[in-house]
Amino acid sequence: MANIGLIGAGSWGTALAYELSTNGHHIEIWSIAQDEVDMINQDHEQKIKLPGTILPESVHADTDLQTVCRDKDLLVLAVPSPFTRSTAQKMAPYIRYGQLIVSVAKGIEEDSLMTLSEQIREEIPHANVAVLCGPTHAEEVGKGIPTCIVAGAKDEQTAKYVQNIFMSEVFRVYTSPDIKGMELGAALKNVVALAAGVADGLGYGDNTKAALITRGIAEITRIGIAAGGQAATFQGLTGIGDLIVTCASMHSRNRRAGILIGQGKTPDEAMKEVQQVVEGVFSAKAAKKLAEKYEIEAPIIDEVCAVLFENKQPAEAVRDLMLRDRKVEANDLDWN
Ligand SMILES: NC(=O)c1ccc[n+]([C@@H]2O[C@H](COP(=O)([O-])OP(=O)(O)OC[C@H]3O[C@@H](n4cnc5c(N)ncnc54)[C@H](O)[C@@H]3O)[C@@H](O)[C@H]2O)c1
């Protein structure tokens, strides 16, 4: 049994608290919001973000970061990506040398183009930072529905430690050394999910969705490899796996925001209606900058940015995608 501090009491932090406590670990949760702390301590449920998932009474929540970081075998950082850096900054004084922090959020910082583990390492250089991601919607993990996920770390020992902590009969954990590829796949798929939602909102069908997923992973793979990820990662759970679930599921806030935009709402209206942080919107500009930095063609990301930030009509964006220059499907295909 491990002592675990869970930083962030949104949907994902709560689902992981459920999964980890079911595994027999002792969990303490930090939230920035007093009402969330009260809800967890009194009702043992995050009624707003993950209703229906009941946490054991042993799970305690606190707004005091020092209390939650102190004497823990590992910390899980689960706040939405726009708050990762600021939260890591606040945690830094309470982190001992070599403390393991598992980053479970998904995003890229727009100005620095840094992934989340890179931001955490910059704020807390003395920590050992690992990542955990894959096709894992909180709504399903909080009900014990089987899924698979990947633990990424620089060294195999840390990855295996994280694997052992999280692994259960409904939560199968693989290991990987490719933190960069995992984080890029996880962040960039949110941008493609917005496009998949727009296609749904426009009333397009399964063919369009399949085309977006397939061409989307090609785009993500090109950018990911150029930025330092390994090709196999983008064919795995944190690449194509996460992309499929986020483009197909109604649990995806990015897809839901895209649907509203496709139906004629402005991006601002869509984000307000979804009432959650739509990370794909934050990651879209970073994704475009990343593609430009490595001179990678990224037509889906370009069109998502044009719709989000330049008032381009979604139907026009789809038409421009369809009528791009004629191409061979993959550059390494052999005609002989
Ligand atoms: N929800 C999922 O199914 C899921 C699955 C896998 C990964 N993730 C990733 O996990 C991360 C968290 O997602 P989520 O679904 O829990 O988001 P969420 O929208 O449910 O999280 C909101 C929570 O963030 C916290 N918060 C709000 N403002 C804050 C601030 N200024 N500083 C610190 N914390 C603040 C509050 O506790 C709030 O409840 C995201 O990066 C997401 O991509 C989510």
Side-chain angles (χ1 to χ4, degrees):
M1 190 189 96
N3 271 325
I4 301 174
L6 233 157
I7 313 300
S11 321
W12 192 218
T14 307
L16 287 175
Y18 172 79
E19 154 62 22
L20 289 166
S21 55
T22 307
N23 263 5
H25 301 300
H26 181 261
I27 311 296
E28 206 165 13
I29 299 180
W30 173 83
S31 171
I32 197 163
Q34 185 65 50
D35 57 340
E36 291 183 341
V37 163
D38 294 342
M39 206 162 21
I40 290 166
N41 289 337
Q42 286 157 25
D43 306 327
H44 313 292
E45 186 183 2
Q46 209 322 356
K47 293 181 176 215
I48 309 297
K49 302 285 182 182
L50 198 65
T53 294
I54 308 300
L55 299 170
E57 290 189 12
S58 60
V59 174
H60 177 260
D62 210 304
T63 53
D64 184 44
L65 205 45
Q66 183 172 12
T67 303
V68 176
C69 289
R70 193 172 46 209
D71 298 331
K72 297 298 186 296
D73 298 308
L74 74 150
L75 298 169
V76 178
L77 185 42
V79 298
S81 55
F83 311 127
T84 296
R85 185 183 283 282
S86 58
T87 306
Q89 245 164 31
K90 286 190 260 180
M91 289 164 67
Y94 313 126
I95 303 300
R96 63 174 190 272
Y97 184 83
Q99 168 78 65
L100 176 57
I101 300 176
V102 183
S103 171
V104 299
K106 300 173 179 178
I108 309 172
E109 198 168 46
E110 191 193 325
D111 294 335
S112 69
L113 300 184
M114 286 166 101
T115 63
L116 301 179
S117 73
E118 289 166 348
Q119 294 168 45
I120 299 166
R121 257 184 234 112
E122 190 167 82
E123 297 301 332
I124 319 175
H126 52 291
N128 178 15
V129 185
V131 303
L132 184 76
C133 47
T136 52
H137 280 307
E139 292 80 355
E140 296 184 8
V141 172
K143 291 192 184 113
I145 294 173
T147 191
C148 294
I149 196 162
V150 185
K154 283 189 170 163
D155 64 282
E156 196 174 1
Q157 200 188 342
T158 302
K160 283 186 169 168
Y161 177 78
V162 177
Q163 180 181 46
N164 287 336
I165 292 282
F166 282 88
M167 180 104 168
S168 76
E169 63 184 23
V170 291
F171 205 77
R172 181 169 173 76
V173 186
Y174 291 86
T175 56
S176 167
D178 186 17
I179 296 185
K180 185 85 180 192
M182 288 173 63
E183 287 193 291
L184 288 175
L188 295 175
K189 59 92 189 167
N190 283 336
V191 186
V192 180
L194 277 164
V198 167
D200 286 332
L202 285 166
Y204 299 159
D206 297 338
N207 298 343
T208 325
K209 179 77 61 69
L212 267 172
I213 290 174
T214 317
R215 295 312 305 168
I217 198 64
E219 201 164 310
I220 289 171
T221 305
R222 285 198 298 271
I223 298 173
I225 291 174
Q230 297 182 36
T233 300
F234 303 101
Q235 297 305 313
L237 291 163
T238 63
I240 188 74
D242 210 354
L243 183 63
I244 290 171
V245 78
T246 203
C247 288
S249 170
M250 267 322 278
H251 297 311
S252 165
R253 65 194 71 171
N254 294 288
R255 175 172 169 245
R256 277 187 280 134
I259 291 173
L260 294 168
I261 294 168
Q263 288 170 342
K265 298 252 161 74
T266 66
D268 278 349
E269 287 167 346
M271 281 204 280
K272 275 197 196 103
E273 199 165 321
V274 169
Q275 283 188 333
Q276 281 172 308
V277 178
V278 181
E279 285 173 319
V281 174
F282 290 90
S283 295
K285 275 189 186 161
K288 188 172 162 78
K289 278 193 194 171
L290 207 55
E292 283 166 0
K293 178 176 170 185
Y294 293 106
E295 297 180 3
I296 301 292
E297 236 186 333
I300 299 173
I301 289 168
D302 286 347
E303 292 301 337
V304 168
C305 284
V307 169
L308 289 177
F309 310 118
E310 294 159 27
N311 292 324
K312 186 165 183 176
Q313 287 306 307
E316 196 190 333
V318 174
R319 197 185 59 93
D320 287 352
L321 273 176
M322 296 300 287
L323 293 177
R324 278 185 336 118
D325 290 353
R326 286 141 216 240
K327 303 263 183 191
V328 62
E329 187 182 19
N331 287 335
D332 50 1
L333 288 173
D334 192 349
W335 290 105
N336 299 312

